[in-house]
Amino acid sequence: PTAVQISRDGSNYRLNAVVMSGTGDVQEEPRAIVQRISKSLTKRQWDEFELALRQIGFSDMTTTIDDIVGADGAIWTIEARSAGRYHLVDRWGGADGIRGVGERVLILADLQHEPIY
């Protein structure tokens, strides 16, 4: 399990990530943090991330798609808060382009070497 946060404070852009041990299976014992990442991003990296969200129509997506589920694989979740609006999109298998945006974020975090399901 991996969580990556990208944030902006004025003209400062940050990425923070946490990688946990285990597979993410809900039946597992509590996991431990095995890696933390914290780094600055450039305005260009921030702009490219925002563009990727716009290109997939993120702000207009439904939170979930009930008819697409699997027994194994990754669940890709993207949460965003902008101008006082919060939006969450959750997709098993990364449907609707969510996986591509998530993979870009993993590259920004230098985590592209991790196995992705």
Side-chain angles (χ1 to χ4, degrees), residues 52 56 76 78 93-107:
I56 65 168
W76 296 81
I78 297 180
D96 296 339
I98 292 295
R99 180 183 176 126
V101 174
E103 287 176 342
R104 285 176 156 219
V105 170
L106 293 177
I107 290 168

Side-chain angles (χ1 to χ4, degrees), residues 19 23-24 26 36-38 47-48 51 53 55 58-59 62 67 70-71 79 88 93-94 96 107 109 115:
V19 179
T23 62
V26 295
R36 286 186 190 270
I37 298 164
S38 183
D47 290 344
E48 288 172 354
L51 176 61
L53 290 176
Q55 287 175 330
F58 172 80
S59 62
T62 59
D67 62 340
E79 299 175 79
L88 177 140
D96 296 339
I107 290 168

Side-chain angles (χ1 to χ4, degrees), residues 3-54:
V4 182
Q5 175 191 45
I6 296 177
S7 60
R8 182 185 78 167
D9 183 9
S11 61
N12 295 312
Y13 308 93
R14 298 262 343 131
L15 179 144
N16 294 296
V18 175
V19 179
M20 306 293 287
S21 63
T23 62
D25 187 311
V26 295
Q27 308 275 330
E28 277 186 352
E29 294 294 319
R31 294 171 284 280
I33 295 172
V34 295
Q35 185 177 8
R36 286 186 190 270
I37 298 164
S38 183
K39 65 187 223 180
S40 295
L41 296 178
T42 65
K43 182 176 184 327
R44 180 178 177 196
Q45 289 170 316
W46 173 267
D47 290 344
E48 288 172 354
F49 175 68
E50 283 192 318
L51 176 61
L53 290 176
R54 282 194 305 278

